[in-house]
Amino acid sequence: IPETKGYDDLNSGKNVLFIGRVVPQKGLMFLIDTAVRLVQIDPQVKIVVAGDGTPDGNILPEVIEEVAKRGLEKNVIFTGWVNGDAKKQLYKTCQLFVMPSPSEPFGLTALEAIRSGVPTISSETSGFIGVVPSTPTFAYHDIEAFANTVLHFLQDDQARKDLLKRQLEDLKDHAWSKEVAKLLEIIPTKS
């Protein structure tokens, strides 16, 4: 597995971050398919995959094999599981966060990325879009749309800054305490 040695090699570049479980429902193979297209257009793009599989669904060996088969070893970096400090460092060194899931009930990592200053794009089936409607989306399996969206935000600093500003604005109205209060209002209480 490639190592990042403190992520120093990410300090200058066009870095796309995925954080999550390395399981089929997270869309990693779709991300690798899209990475092929991204690297064809811009060989400087790096995809950082941070996370592990779970015992009942780990596809990390297949993803690594696919990366090797497609000659993407210089462009796809696997970090394994990362703790809070390492996550913070990854957020600082990556320009864009992606959520390529075929179906994502919510997607807390997307909110974490945005709150950490990393604009986020997602497949159109992610639940967090209800909270952050300004998020650019693409159809799952649409490699061209995914690649074009990634490249647009990697190549246009102002578009990336504007996106983050809109996403943070969307999040301003949401806090855990407010969301819990809303739930408590609709839950019947015992008399």
Side-chain angles (χ1 to χ4, degrees):
I1 295 175
E3 292 186 18
T4 60
K5 297 185 179 113
Y7 317 120
D8 290 339
D9 55 337
L10 296 177
N11 285 336
S12 61
K14 299 172 182 172
N15 307 315
V16 177
L17 179 61
F18 167 89
I19 295 178
R21 292 175 297 122
V22 184
V23 294
Q25 64 265 34
K26 296 297 181 179
L28 266 292
M29 289 302 196
F30 172 44
L31 179 59
I32 300 308
D33 290 341
T34 304
V36 171
R37 184 70 180 126
L38 288 168
V39 171
Q40 285 173 345
I41 298 168
D42 187 344
Q44 293 181 322
V45 173
K46 288 194 179 358
I47 309 290
V48 180
V49 177
D52 283 331
T54 56
D56 58 347
N58 185 6
I59 60 166
L60 186 58
E62 295 99 276
V63 174
I64 291 171
E65 187 177 316
E66 196 64 26
V67 165
K69 193 182 336 179
R70 292 171 178 246
L72 294 170
E73 301 91 344
K74 292 181 181 177
N75 297 87
V76 179
I77 298 166
F78 296 95
T79 68
W81 181 83
V82 290
N83 64 18
D85 289 338
K87 263 202 239 184
K88 287 177 189 171
Q89 193 172 5
L90 284 173
Y91 287 133
K92 286 180 185 173
T93 58
C94 291
Q95 288 73 44
L96 192 63
F97 184 86
V98 295
M99 188 164 279
S101 308
S103 177
E104 184 70 46
F106 190 75
L108 286 175
T109 53
L111 300 184
E112 184 179 74
I114 294 165
R115 291 241 189 245
S116 298
V118 184
T120 298
I121 65 171
S122 174
S123 63
E124 59 195 14
T125 55
S126 294
F128 84 93
I129 294 167
V131 175
V132 190
S134 62
T135 301
T137 61
F138 47 85
Y140 181 75
H141 281 309
D142 189 340
I143 291 169
E144 285 301 313
F146 188 11
N148 289 337
T149 305
V150 167
L151 290 169
H152 170 71
F153 288 107
L154 287 182
Q155 295 169 348
D156 188 333
D157 290 342
Q158 191 59 51
R160 203 168 55 248
K161 288 175 189 172
D162 291 345
L163 172 59
L164 179 62
K165 184 179 176 185
R166 287 191 310 273
Q167 290 180 318
L168 287 169
E169 194 68 29
D170 287 344
L171 283 179
K172 221 166 53 171
D173 295 331
H174 297 277
W176 284 116
S177 58
K178 289 181 184 178
E179 299 307 318
V180 169
K182 287 180 196 174
L183 286 173
L184 290 175
E185 285 176 15
I186 60 173
I187 297 173
T189 56
K190 292 182 181 178
S191 305

